[in-house]
Amino acid sequence: MSHFSLYALLTLALVGVASAQDASVQPQPAEAAQPVAQTRVSLTVTPSMAPVTQAISASGMSDAKAVLVLDYDADGVPVNLALDPASGNEELDRAILAWGREARVTPGKGGTGRLPFNLMVDQENDSSKQQKEIEASKRNTRNER
């Protein structure tokens, strides 16, 4: 049996997308499409990663990548969530979506953001784990003398 230790690398900045056009300006049919401006939006509430780490450990996957796409309102509350791309594991995808529902972004203008999840499991073999336990036992024995 292998010992799992999990490293979850999570980029905590969302790239929000705001329209470059003012809503009051009507585009002319002959005009080219306006570029989309990108702004950085920070998370103000970062939920616990425990359910996500449990899901990847239970999946047996050594690593997983997914991108959480969320629409958020002016209060920073996610109103629509999707994974594009998903991790490929239903339980892990559900855990990431649940995490996203609890997250909050900086209040201001609503928008859409993409949050990449890069998850890795560091799998130690039994002999490595046993060696660490032996070394800890030796230290404890020396300290008792």
Side-chain angles (χ1 to χ4, degrees):
M1 177 184 282
S2 297
H3 172 71
F4 288 93
S5 58
L6 180 76
Y7 298 99
L9 305 174
L10 178 63
T11 304
L12 296 180
L14 292 168
V15 176
V17 178
S19 173
Q21 297 178 347
D22 185 343
S24 65
V25 177
Q26 296 297 320
Q28 300 300 319
E31 283 184 26
Q34 294 290 324
V36 174
Q38 291 189 345
T39 56
R40 281 239 179 258
V41 179
S42 298
L43 290 175
T44 58
V45 174
T46 305
S48 169
M49 287 293 293
V52 176
T53 59
Q54 290 169 353
I56 193 168
S57 291
S59 75
M61 299 169 72
S62 61
D63 66 336
K65 292 182 180 183
V67 177
L68 178 64
V69 180
L70 62 141
D71 297 329
Y72 51 90
D73 63 19
D75 294 326
V77 177
V79 293
N80 187 31
L81 299 157
L83 292 173
D84 184 28
S87 71
N89 179 277
E90 284 186 39
E91 191 63 33
L92 180 56
D93 291 346
R94 279 194 290 272
I96 292 171
L97 289 169
W99 183 95
R101 283 189 288 276
E102 293 179 24
R104 299 294 179 265
V105 299
T106 306
K109 187 175 180 179
T112 299
R114 297 178 63 82
L115 184 62
F117 279 72
N118 296 309
L119 305 159
M120 290 180 275
V121 176
D122 180 34
Q123 196 172 14
E124 292 182 356
N125 62 33
D126 284 340
S127 62
S128 175
K129 182 180 175 185
Q130 289 172 349
Q131 185 62 35
K132 288 179 183 179
E133 290 172 355
I134 291 168
E135 290 171 10
S137 176
K138 287 178 182 178
R139 281 193 300 274
N140 290 339
T141 303
R142 280 187 231 133
N143 290 338
E144 290 174 0
R145 290 181 186 174

